[in-house]
Amino acid sequence: MAPVVLRYYHISNYQYFACFMEIKWAPNAFVRLTLPLMAGILTYLYWGETLPELLPFVGLLVVLFGVVQAWATRQREATATDAAGLLAVLAVYVAGAALTQQATESRAPDHLYRFGSGIEFYRGVVDDYTVVRPATYATTVRVSAVRVGGQWRPARGGIRVSVPREAAVTAPQYGDVWLVRGAPAPSKPP
């Protein structure tokens, strides 16, 4: 448990005691690094569309941290080391947002979303198990190419599909390659 520090403050005519929790950061490296990483991930999840490409900023912050840390080791006061530590926390925060940005498939230049409604055909592979419902089969198709303007182009993306369950229609199987006419329709919100 962190020690409780009581401090006495005097502001103009008011006197009061303040109770602060003092957290020792040195033994809690997991907390010190995980909280900024999670904050960076959450930042991207909520405001990711408005953020620029973050990978160059991560590189810049890491290099800047190296320079500041090298300088801080030669200083006698602890504020220089504290500044380097805060810069490292900022670098981890930006790295969390940048890693989430890089892992988001829809940001890829060849994502299915980028082609819009100009898609004539798309080719995909069934890459998930098939859910059998009373009136439909539901599965996921991983897109590998699209045809736009008469030319096939590589593409990526996943599409959740529902196929009517009829006597003439067999259930989709894992690994089936599909050629579908038209652009996929966007999902309906709940």
Side-chain angles (χ1 to χ4, degrees):
M1 179 97 183
V4 176
V5 178
L6 293 177
R7 294 193 176 143
Y8 174 76
Y9 288 94
H10 176 78
I11 299 176
S12 67
N13 291 333
Y14 300 100
Q15 299 175 358
Y16 63 93
F17 283 96
C19 179
F20 294 99
M21 290 293 284
E22 186 175 292
I23 298 174
K24 303 285 186 195
W25 287 104
N28 298 316
F30 178 77
V31 174
R32 184 175 61 230
L33 297 176
T34 305
L35 289 178
L37 185 70
M38 289 187 319
I41 292 168
L42 288 173
T43 299
Y44 181 77
L45 291 178
Y46 284 102
W47 299 288
E49 295 295 322
T50 61
L51 296 175
E53 185 69 30
L54 295 174
L55 213 50
F57 291 112
V58 173
L60 178 69
L61 284 170
V62 168
V63 169
L64 187 60
F65 166 72
V67 169
V68 171
Q69 179 63 28
W71 170 78
T73 55
R74 294 189 207 102
Q75 304 303 313
R76 292 183 182 241
E77 66 250 4
T79 56
T81 307
D82 291 344
L86 288 175
L87 192 58
V89 167
L90 179 64
V92 171
Y93 168 75
V94 175
L99 289 172
T100 309
Q101 189 177 55
Q102 295 299 316
T104 304
E105 186 180 50
S106 63
R107 289 186 48 85
D110 63 345
H111 189 266
L112 182 65
Y113 173 73
R114 306 261 185 235
F115 295 102
S117 61
I119 297 174
E120 300 164 358
F121 293 93
Y122 62 91
R123 184 178 59 223
V125 178
V126 176
D127 75 339
D128 202 357
Y129 62 91
T130 301
V131 177
V132 179
R133 296 186 181 144
T136 61
Y137 298 112
T139 189
T140 303
V141 175
R142 177 74 33 203
V143 174
S144 60
V146 295
R147 184 172 145 181
V148 178
Q151 292 184 340
W152 284 97
R153 299 180 186 172
R156 69 173 92 172
I159 301 172
R160 188 76 179 158
V161 295
S162 293
V163 179
R165 193 170 167 196
E166 300 171 355
V169 177
T170 60
Q173 299 292 318
Y174 181 84
D176 286 351
V177 179
W178 288 9
L179 179 63
V180 181
R181 179 178 301 186
S187 300
K188 295 175 185 170

